Amino acid sequence: MGDSVKHLFITGGVVSSLGKGITAASVALLLKQRGYRVFLQKLDPYLNVDPGTMSPFQHGEVYVTDDGAETDLDLGHYERFAGVTCTRKSNYTSGRIYSTVLQRERQGGYLGGTVQVVPHITDEIKKAILSCEDTGADIVLTEIGGTAGDIESSPFLEALRQLRVDLGPENAVFAHLTLLPYLNASGELKTKPAQQSAGIMRSIGIIPDVLICRTEVAMEEEHFKKLSLFCSVPRAAVIEEKDVKNSIYEVPIELAKQGLDSLILRKFHLPENELDLTRWNAMVARAVNPDRGKVKIAVVGKYMALRDAYKSIFEALSHGAIDQRLDLNVRCIEAEELQNRDPAELLGGIDGILVPGGFGYRGLDGKIEAVKYARDNDIPFFGICLGMQCATIDTARYLAGFPDANSLEFDPDTAHPVISLMDEQKNVVNKGGTMRLGAYPCILEEGSKAQKAYGATEVSERHRHRFEFNNLYREALEQAGLRLTGLSPDGKLVEVVERPDHRWFVAVQFHPEFKSRPLDPHPLFSAFIKASFQGKQK
Ligand code: GLN
């Protein structure tokens, strides 16, 4: 193996939402299963410094890393597929690149020079990419957000063009993901948009080494040949990525069948090694053939119209179902709907209820209704972050005798702020990157549902919140049947609450969904799915 770290750049053409993240993650898995250490990174061309301040409607979920970065949801795919741990280095935006350059300019760091997109911004982009080399990876995969031809992605593509020259073609390989639209009216699969996106790349000075074609229907030999001819890509390097039938986890298997991973390794002049997908194949077989029955889970949230807003939650639920060999059916419920309708209408026939994280008052009372419905009907309940805060408010309002209990986030004047602002947050002014973020340890009470699920008493989970369980209410809420089963090691922060009078009622201040992987389903999600299925059997 050569000494140089290899770089695979993944760009996209024709349209956004092609599944570049899943493709990058799938390729990373294949390279890893051929014995290489991989690291993944996403470069996003927008000007927000990170997605932390963006609405989930704009951007989907904000994925949080162990080291506390608020990042793009594609990093979730990277971690789930390739089993890697992403860091701050795994996501850069134009905003982050520009703010570094502008700060340096204010400090006089450019010694009187004119600061320009080329070379100063492009140099900073190259630095961000090369910074991944000290992660110990043999191969760094860098996905470029946006679509070829976007004005704002051009500095990124220019930086990649330069890097290919700096590093040499055997160390910098380009994969271009593109779309072949299928025209129903004429029954034809069209290659022109793909030819044009490869053309845009060529005009920038980048000839893709590999062309990966997203398509709904199977490609014919003529399509491969045409694309090869017009895009300057050898026939063998035109790869079909057809929609998969049952599970996104089939994508790597399909790409491997076409030898995409071998092709990339050959471009890198690296030994092909053997590909070991034994565990992955077994997991996919379980995912597509659930043989123990069905389980119906309701997710009650505020951004239900956009499934990407809860990406990791849905994925973690599916991992729990794969683990339990169950067919998962998720009912997405807008929390506000529960405020105007009989909850039984919306939640009837449901085996388990999950209230995920969130911000802002809209829908809060509906989420609390969902907790109450789960509690009244002994339906397994899983609360996450805001969902844990709702579970706390539910006990306060309906069982502890504080009918106006609330979180200070939603009612600054409440007489019973059972959820209050964390001390360290009291002087925080800026919104971006200032929440309690990233992995913190938590100590679980022996014999609690959470402790039994994890099979451990000390765990580490990722956080993203400003508010917390108000310690002044510990005693009152414990008397009302809420058990505080997970605390920070100093005992000061309540991280997990449970109701022992209930079949399975566990709510956590952290976000376990970020650490769940298909080959390593999160124990709390598995336990929740298991309890939901058992409850249904009774
Ligand atoms: N809005 C709540 C807080 O800031 C919960 C955050 C969340 O659910 N991620 O504490």
Side-chain angles (χ1 to χ4, degrees):
M1 194 185 302
D3 294 339
S4 318
V5 176
K6 307 289 184 179
H7 291 266
L8 179 68
F9 302 123
I10 297 146
T11 57
V14 183
V15 292
S16 57
S17 306
L18 269 183
K20 246 185 304 172
I22 289 176
T23 305
S26 299
V27 173
L29 168 72
L30 298 178
L31 297 172
K32 184 180 165 201
Q33 293 313 108
R34 281 191 189 263
Y36 292 96
R37 286 165 301 181
V38 293
F39 189 77
L40 288 116
Q41 177 187 51
K42 167 118 192 247
L43 304 181
D44 276 311
Y46 55 75
L47 285 173
N48 303 63
V49 171
D50 62 42
T53 55
M54 286 157 97
S55 155
F57 281 127
Q58 287 273 317
H59 187 272
E61 152 186 291
V62 173
Y63 189 78
V64 181
T65 56
D66 268 346
D67 66 351
E70 297 178 287
T71 71
D72 187 79
L73 58 75
D74 276 335
L75 275 67
H77 296 309
Y78 302 166
E79 293 207 347
R80 288 187 285 268
F81 280 74
V84 295
T85 298
C86 290
T87 70
R88 257 167 220 294
K89 289 184 178 176
S90 304
N91 196 193
Y92 282 84
T93 66
S94 290
R96 187 168 162 201
I97 298 283
Y98 271 83
S99 67
T100 307
V101 170
L102 294 177
Q103 261 175 40
R104 191 178 303 131
E105 185 275 334
R106 290 291 81 185
Q107 290 159 358
Y110 293 99
L111 305 174
T114 306
V115 181
Q116 297 183 293
V117 173
V118 183
H120 301 103
I121 294 296
T122 46
D123 277 353
E124 202 57 39
I125 295 170
K126 292 201 281 186
K127 219 196 259 175
I129 295 170
L130 295 174
S131 78
C132 299
E133 292 197 345
D134 65 18
T135 57
D138 304 310
I139 305 172
V140 175
L141 293 88
T142 298
E143 173 194 348
I144 317 298
T147 308
D150 290 349
I151 291 176
E152 57 182 12
S153 59
S154 50
F156 288 95
L157 298 179
E158 167 59 16
L160 301 189
R161 185 194 65 76
Q162 295 174 17
L163 267 181
R164 164 95 136 194
V165 180
D166 300 347
L167 301 174
E170 73 286 5
N171 296 319
V173 167
F174 285 94
H176 187 63
L177 186 67
T178 189
L179 174 73
L180 306 192
Y182 178 73
L183 298 189
N184 248 325
S186 58
E188 274 181 301
L189 194 60
K190 306 303 280 185
T191 61
K192 185 79 70 177
Q195 294 174 33
Q196 288 173 339
S197 74
I200 293 171
M201 296 300 290
R202 264 200 318 277
S203 71
I204 303 166
I206 297 172
I207 298 182
D209 298 290
V210 184
L211 194 70
I212 306 174
C213 306
R214 292 283 294 111
T215 170
E216 279 171 48
V217 302
M219 290 164 63
E220 309 282 344
E221 187 51 30
E222 55 163 316
H223 301 120
F224 287 98
K225 282 197 180 135
K226 217 180 201 178
L227 287 165
S228 166
L229 179 68
F230 283 97
C231 303
S232 289
V233 176
R235 159 68 185 86
V238 181
I239 302 285
E240 173 188 278
E241 188 183 327
K242 194 152 77 81
D243 290 357
V244 286
K245 280 198 211 83
N246 302 298
S247 161
I248 52 166
Y249 298 127
E250 293 172 78
V251 173
I253 299 174
E254 293 305 315
L255 294 176
K257 277 187 198 155
Q258 294 181 68
L260 174 60
D261 45 334
S262 317
L263 183 77
I264 291 167
L265 289 172
R266 282 200 300 274
K267 298 264 173 209
F268 282 139
H269 301 189
L270 287 175
E272 284 177 45
N273 305 341
E274 204 171 322
L275 175 64
D276 180 5
L277 282 182
T278 320
R279 283 189 70 210
W280 192 267
N281 284 332
M283 178 276 292
V284 171
R286 269 206 312 282
V288 301
N289 292 308
D291 54 4
R292 285 184 56 227
K294 282 188 198 311
V295 65
K296 245 189 241 167
I297 303 295
V299 177
V300 181
K302 175 179 157 190
Y303 318 102
M304 295 322 305
L306 184 73
R307 287 193 67 129
D308 272 358
Y310 302 102
K311 189 88 211 165
S312 295
I313 294 277
F314 293 131
E315 288 305 307
L317 283 170
S318 84
H319 305 161
I322 294 172
D323 183 51
Q324 296 296 313
R325 314 182 84 100
L326 293 170
D327 183 10
L328 172 70
N329 183 311
V330 176
R331 192 184 292 174
C332 295
I333 296 176
E334 272 299 335
E336 266 178 314
E337 295 261 308
L338 281 167
Q339 290 163 210
N340 318 318
R341 288 178 49 191
D342 175 5
E345 266 178 53
L346 293 162
L347 294 168
I350 280 295
D351 307 320
I353 296 176
L354 187 152
V355 177
F359 297 83
Y361 183 59
R362 187 172 68 80
L364 180 83
D365 291 320
K367 294 175 193 175
I368 296 169
E369 260 324 298
V371 181
K372 182 169 183 305
Y373 185 85
R375 191 168 48 69
D376 287 344
N377 295 283
D378 204 26
I379 297 171
F381 171 78
F382 193 7
I384 291 179
C385 207
L386 182 59
M388 176 268 202
Q389 300 176 354
C390 289
T392 304
I393 298 171
D394 164 72
T395 290
R397 282 189 187 173
Y398 299 112
L399 301 170
F402 307 130
D404 62 344
N406 213 327
S407 162
L408 282 182
E409 181 180 1
F410 309 120
D411 181 0
D413 302 319
T414 176
H416 295 291
V418 292
I419 303 296
S420 56
L421 192 62
M422 304 182 71
D423 279 341
E424 66 202 51
Q425 288 288 328
K426 290 192 173 136
N427 298 316
V428 168
V429 189
N430 280 351
K431 290 272 184 267
T434 57
M435 280 187 252
R436 178 171 180 242
L437 290 166
Y440 288 92
C442 167
I443 309 296
L444 300 170
E445 184 184 292
E446 199 69 57
S448 62
K449 288 258 180 6
Q451 188 272 325
K452 282 194 203 144
Y454 280 102
T457 46
E458 177 165 353
V459 297
S460 168
E461 293 285 1
R462 300 180 191 172
H463 297 69
R464 182 173 187 246
H465 63 119
R466 280 186 215 285
F467 293 83
E468 61 165 337
F469 187 105
N470 183 343
N471 288 329
L472 297 175
Y473 289 88
R474 279 192 186 192
E475 210 183 306
L477 296 183
E478 279 189 301
Q479 269 167 19
L482 197 69
R483 234 188 141 88
L484 317 181
T485 60
L487 300 176
S488 55
D490 63 4
K492 287 191 182 148
L493 298 175
V494 177
E495 306 275 35
V496 186
V497 301
E498 298 185 19
R499 291 204 60 91
D501 59 357
H502 186 280
R503 185 192 302 282
W504 201 91
F505 188 107
V506 178
V508 297
Q509 183 58 74
F510 44 77
H511 289 272
E513 71 274 23
F514 294 142
K515 287 185 57 168
S516 188
R517 294 166 179 188
L519 293 182
D520 191 11
H522 194 286
L524 289 178
F525 279 87
S526 289
F528 170 58
I529 294 281
K530 184 175 177 190
S532 301
F533 183 65
Q534 279 171 349
K536 167 192 169 128
Q537 303 307 97
K538 285 195 181 144

